[in-house]
Amino acid sequence: EACQDIPTKMMGSPPMLHKAPLSSVAHELAAELEESIHLSVVDLEEKLESVSSEKSRLSEVVEQHRKELTNSQELLTMKDQEMKQLECTLQENIKQLGEKEE
């Protein structure tokens, strides 16, 4: 196995070198990296699912508000037409009263 010099330092003493098998260090680092990546992927998948769920919920809320707004606009249009009809009726009644007084 290939070896790598890894500096180690004891308190108050100059750096000392010891030999560690390079392949075992590489395998250990690769395993740690793989585990870290796996945990990151799992975390991101959970966040994506949460965001997707929240997006779906908000889409439903937006759609409900859109329907309510449409209903309110239709109701407002109907009330506006009723007011115009009442205004015409009132003007007609005022005109008829004026004619009766003459």
Side-chain angles (χ1 to χ4, degrees), residues 50-66:
S50 173
V51 166
S52 180
S53 174
E54 183 67 5
K55 180 185 176 221
S56 178
R57 186 189 73 76
L58 289 174
S59 291
E60 291 174 9
V61 168
V62 166
E63 186 58 34
Q64 181 62 34
H65 283 245
R66 187 173 287 132

Side-chain angles (χ1 to χ4, degrees), residues 43-96:
D43 184 51
L44 288 173
E45 286 173 342
E46 289 172 356
K47 287 178 181 174
L48 178 61
E49 185 177 325
S50 173
V51 166
S52 180
S53 174
E54 183 67 5
K55 180 185 176 221
S56 178
R57 186 189 73 76
L58 289 174
S59 291
E60 291 174 9
V61 168
V62 166
E63 186 58 34
Q64 181 62 34
H65 283 245
R66 187 173 287 132
K67 287 177 183 177
E68 290 172 4
L69 181 60
T70 299
N71 291 341
S72 295
Q73 288 172 333
E74 290 172 357
L75 184 60
L76 186 58
T77 300
M78 285 178 12
K79 292 297 181 186
D80 188 49
Q81 289 172 350
E82 287 177 17
M83 293 256 314
K84 286 178 183 175
Q85 288 173 349
L86 287 173
E87 187 178 340
C88 288
T89 304
L90 182 60
Q91 288 177 356
E92 190 77 27
N93 289 343
I94 291 171
K95 183 179 175 185
Q96 287 176 1

Side-chain angles (χ1 to χ4, degrees), residues 16-27:
M16 295 173 38
L17 297 177
H18 76 275
K19 302 284 185 182
L22 183 58
S23 63
S24 70
V25 170
H27 286 303

